[in-house]
Amino acid sequence: MSRIELRTLAGIFAAALILRAGAAILTETHPIFPSFYYTDAQRVELLVKSTLAAEKEGLPFAFNGTQSQLMQVKTQLALYRLFGPRPLDMKLLNSLLGAASGAVLAAALLPAFGPGPALLSAALCAAWPSHVFFTSQNFKESPSNLLAYLALWGFMALLAGSTRRTASAVLIAAGVILAL
């Protein structure tokens, strides 16, 4: 990827981050959709707060939900332990991961389609309204998308005949995110 293409991708990432952070802040102060859009996030928030309360009393962590919800609960618990119970922090982290997923998608598509289509895909991912919304909230979409795009990048690197080192690094990154 040339310098111009890298700068273009950096600009797309910055725009994606600004859009997502803006949506996160907006929805934290003025929800833009009916309350049922936020049911999953409200359930996770309740689980996180009840887990923190149980920890204060010395009770064990009790969870009843899906694996993807468990990933979100554990991530949000870690943030709340570090910075206090502020849902906006989780939304901003997801905004960062959502913006990064567009850049990773471009890197994944580059070997097969070249810089033009790869950068266009990143731009569309950065500005697509539903992607902006769902990756700016305290939902599980941001890490899931990033994981999927990292895995795609690793496999595309392997298929394109890139070094095993590059493909291995990307696949290991995807594995680390999955483990987290």
Side-chain angles (χ1 to χ4, degrees), residues 40-55:
D40 193 33
Q42 291 167 346
R43 183 174 190 280
V44 168
E45 182 72 22
L46 181 64
L47 284 167
V48 169
K49 286 185 176 178
S50 64
T51 301
L52 288 172
E55 283 179 355

Side-chain angles (χ1 to χ4, degrees), residues 102-160:
V104 170
L105 177 63
L109 298 177
L110 187 64
F113 301 106
L119 290 171
L120 181 60
S121 296
L124 288 172
C125 184
W128 201 261
S130 61
H131 196 270
V132 170
F133 174 73
F134 284 108
T135 60
S136 69
Q137 302 303 299
N138 49 352
F139 301 143
K140 58 196 171 295
E141 278 75 6
S142 290
S144 301
N145 286 345
L146 185 57
L147 174 63
Y149 297 156
L150 278 169
L152 178 65
W153 185 14
F155 290 121
M156 292 296 281
L158 281 174
L159 292 174

Side-chain angles (χ1 to χ4, degrees), residues 21-63:
I25 292 166
L26 174 66
T27 58
E28 188 64 21
T29 58
H30 298 88
I32 58 176
F33 291 112
S35 62
F36 62 83
Y37 272 67
Y38 305 97
T39 304
D40 193 33
Q42 291 167 346
R43 183 174 190 280
V44 168
E45 182 72 22
L46 181 64
L47 284 167
V48 169
K49 286 185 176 178
S50 64
T51 301
L52 288 172
E55 283 179 355
K56 284 183 181 178
E57 296 177 18
L59 299 173
F61 175 72
F63 178 77

